[in-house]
Amino acid sequence: MTFLPPSPRHAATRPTRNRGHALRLASVALPLAALAGCMVGPKYHRPDAIVSARFKELRPEPGWENAAPQMAELPKHDWWTIYNDPILNGLEAQVAISNQNIKEYEANYRNARAMIDSIRAQLFPTISGSLGFNRAGHGEGSLSSSGSNYAKEGTTYNTYNLGPSASWDLDLWGKIRRQVQEQVTAAQASAADLANATLSYQAQLATAYFNLRYQDSLTDLLQRYVRFNEQALQITQNQFDAGTADPTAVLQARTTLEQNRASLVQAGINRAQYEHAIAVLIGKPPADVSIAPAALSRTVPPIPVTVPSDLLQRRPDIAAAERTMEQYNAQIGADMAAFYPDVTINASYAQSGGDPVTSLMSVANRVWSLGASATEILFSGGSRTAAVHEANAQYDNAVATYRQTVLTALQNTEDQLSNLRILSQQSAQQQKALDFANRTVEVSLNQYQAGTEIYTTVITNENSALSSAETLLGIQQQRMVDSVSLVQALGGGWDASRLPSKKSLQKDNPLLPSFIQKDTNK
């Protein structure tokens, strides 16, 4: 359907009042026609996730206790403060603002937001303006295109023209609005990805920090055993010099000492690597970061755990998967809209003349037009149908991804709950074993000094005690690391309400340049 504009001659002679009335009527009717358009495609409803009523590992077996008492909830932002470690707090505060990987996710999010404005711009009319000037001349006796002679003398004249034009896609079937919806939800998914990446690198930092503290405590343990080995070697050497010990005892004592010194060197290597990793996680070169040694905490803080359904709102990766479902749902509607005609409104107004003041203001030199056109694809070889089928398949894939993400989140949480519960019991049992091992070393050393036991027995008991001490320290390290993993599995205090709303993502004023508008979500 096309509306033909009146001829320039009729436009120039038609009463100005009638023309103005028609334009005012069109300015009201056309937006109403656009608003009356529908949005084709399915309405989005969040699919159900596969969620249990409660966590299995919160129902401990008889004789077992929960790894930690429950609190109300994790801190909303700085979840790492539950460890009460000022050094860790200072390091974690630098991750979100200095980690280069997080900056990459943040740039992706800003790109997704910019694409919203790019697509949303298609909902508004495109207005153009033109201003032209032309100067021409004819020599004496030259001929015009009709064959007539110009004036005998040369002629030079100027021509001016100016006027705006506009084009507007009415989006009667909601194709553009579906594309906007698709990009808005994609931006929300990108924001959730940013939150998930931030949480992931914060958890990596906490894990590296506790591993570093484990190496500090291991170093302290090995240093104590090295000092003990040095004393034992001195005792053995004195007995050998006095003729009451054989050379084998001295060699065994020295071998044990050197082995523990070698383990001490390896602990230093591992510590240096964890310190380097921490530096990179906070966006600094390793040469600029030095962390003073300190012992690994012996207390695992209580971690709040509620019900599995809370994970749907508290895990950013689940939120990203859910937003992706709506994104592909909107894409189905956009592809379905391709079966309907595109309706466009075109308008233009121009004036031309030889004088920039009097001629351009003359009614006779005004030209305007207002029309509408509709285009429809009559045959595309099935490409539009294929696009709809593809969008449906992508939506189904997103649903499966969402449900699998929820199941994986449940598994992660259950794993960490069981780890903390069992490791708590293992730690208590290992402490008992260490106490007995230390007592055995003390007794066997006394017996050796009294001449009732060979030194091999002392070495065997000493190695057993050191192994028990390392095992106990390793259990505590794993408990601290698993507590971080549990916090991450629970979302780290994040909540889906922190995602930017659809309204906030579409608040940019199309009449103002982007650099003038304040980006509050940046």
Side-chain angles (χ1 to χ4, degrees), residues 261 292 454:
R261 283 175 174 172
I454 61 176

Side-chain angles (χ1 to χ4, degrees), residues 192-203:
D193 288 337
L194 171 59
N196 191 53
T198 303
L199 174 60
S200 175
Y201 288 112
Q202 289 169 343

